[in-house]
């Protein structure tokens, strides 16, 4: 089963509109000859409209960094799925560890966001991952299982096949510490088996599982060589065209 690689850039709370548009144009130019891989950019909400325009006619997917679970209403500070679709968003990051850790989003909330995204036809990039404390206490797989089962609660197989999963060990995000290729592959293999258990083997083989956590030009090739790693969710290194370009052009 060959899964199409996805290289996704999460710009977090960085860049003005002008900076975001410039970077998006540069990435679109890099991707003009991307035939066998997908690329996604998730700018901050303020830059979505500008980046949507910059990406028009390109093969780069526009992503958002979160989504509300209701279509409209009294939800100050939230952005509804139809609003994202209206602006041209196709993918959305859900359950990023910064949302979980800093803004206390739990598995129930993440499940609601995920189901809303799917209902409105957005492709969710669902993030899960253990903290350093959890890894050191041997709880990694139990934590991943709880997060994945919680996020996928009541998601039927017909919708689950749209999901992209991102394994992001919290201790590796923005720290310069990457999981070793063996640690990453072990977790990805575990997640694929878990998906097979929740749904079935065929579906598990089609779902892309990205690795995230200090992905850089000098570790992308080794990560992508692993059997169950289908792409990368990239923070810091996605903010410069040269480093993201090398990641997009992994070998
Ligand atoms: C992320 O934002 O999901 C991420 C993995 O960040 P970084 O690449 O900077 O570790």
């Amino acid at each position: 089963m060959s899964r199409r690689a996805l290289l996704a850039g999460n710009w977090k709370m960085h860049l003005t509109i002008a900076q975001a548009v410039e970077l998006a144009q540069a990435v679109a130019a890099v991707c003009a000859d991307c035939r066998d891989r997908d690329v996604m950019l998730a700018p901050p909400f303020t830059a979505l409209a500008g980046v949507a325009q910059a990406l028009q006619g390109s093969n780069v997917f526009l992503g958002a960094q979160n989504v509300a679970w209701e279509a409209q209403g009294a939800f100050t500070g939230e952005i509804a799925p139809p609003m994202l679709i209206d602006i041209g968003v196709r993918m959305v990051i859900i359950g990023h560890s910064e949302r979980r850790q800093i803004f206390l989003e739990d598995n129930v909330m993440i499940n609601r966001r995920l189901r809303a995204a799917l209902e409105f036809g957005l492709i969710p990039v669902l993030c899960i991952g253990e903290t350093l404390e959890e890894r050191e206490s041997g709880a990694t797989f139990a934590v991943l299982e709880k997060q994945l089962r919680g996020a996928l609660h009541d998601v039927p197989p017909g919708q689950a096949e749209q999901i992209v999963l991102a394994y992001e060990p919290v201790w590796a995000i923005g720290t310069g510490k990457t999981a070793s290729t063996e640690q990453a592959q072990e977790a990805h293999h575990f997640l694929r088996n878990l998906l097979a258990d929740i749904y079935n083997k065929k579906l598990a083989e089609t779902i892309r599982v990205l690795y995230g956590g200090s992905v850089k030009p000098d570790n992308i090739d080794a990560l992508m060589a692993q059997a169950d790693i289908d792409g990368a969710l990239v923070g810091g290194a996605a903010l410069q065209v040269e480093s993201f370009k090398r990641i997009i052009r992994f070998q």
Side-chain angles (χ1 to χ4, degrees), residues 35-240:
R35 307 256 171 272
D36 62 346
R37 54 200 70 191
D38 291 330
V39 173
M40 181 273 262
L41 296 177
F45 290 119
T46 48
L48 278 174
V51 171
Q53 236 178 357
L55 295 181
Q56 234 168 36
S58 82
N59 47 15
V60 179
F61 287 84
L62 181 62
Q65 296 178 22
N66 209 351
V67 65
W69 56 77
E70 295 288 345
Q72 59 179 13
F75 297 94
T76 302
E78 291 282 321
I79 312 277
M83 295 170 175
L84 295 180
I85 288 162
D86 189 34
I87 225 165
V89 167
R90 309 267 307 278
M91 295 185 168
V92 61
I93 298 171
I94 294 174
H96 192 279
S97 67
E98 286 146 21
R99 300 300 317 172
R100 294 177 189 262
Q101 310 262 310
I102 306 169
F103 301 100
L104 308 183
E105 291 193 13
D106 60 16
N107 289 326
V108 172
M109 221 184 263
I110 287 159
N111 171 251
R112 295 180 81 175
R113 294 190 192 278
L114 183 91
R115 283 188 294 142
L118 288 166
E119 244 152 63
F120 283 92
L122 291 162
I123 299 170
V125 179
L126 168 66
C127 303
I128 60 173
E130 80 288 359
T131 62
L132 185 58
E133 202 183 1
E134 289 162 343
R135 175 160 282 269
E136 286 178 344
S137 68
T140 297
F141 295 134
V143 168
L144 294 180
E145 179 158 4
K146 192 166 176 211
Q147 290 178 344
L148 189 59
R149 287 191 188 274
L152 295 178
H153 180 69
D154 270 350
V155 176
Q159 286 191 334
E161 64 190 16
Q162 300 301 320
I163 295 172
V164 175
L165 184 60
Y167 168 61
E168 298 208 305
V170 179
W171 48 273
I173 297 178
T175 57
K177 278 188 214 160
T178 324
S180 68
T181 48
E182 293 76 18
Q183 282 172 323
Q185 167 58 24
E186 185 189 31
H188 281 231
H189 186 66
F190 170 80
L191 291 172
R192 205 171 301 285
N193 284 340
L194 190 53
L195 286 168
D197 189 53
I198 297 171
Y199 296 106
N200 57 66
K201 199 165 167 9
K202 191 162 166 250
L203 183 56
E205 288 297 325
T206 65
I207 292 180
R208 291 182 286 187
V209 187
L210 315 184
Y211 169 78
S214 297
V215 173
K216 304 282 180 232
D218 63 3
N219 58 25
I220 184 69
D221 296 343
L223 287 163
M224 291 304 292
Q226 302 304 306
D228 288 292
I229 300 185
D230 308 315
L233 181 54
V234 187
L239 287 168
Q240 260 91 41

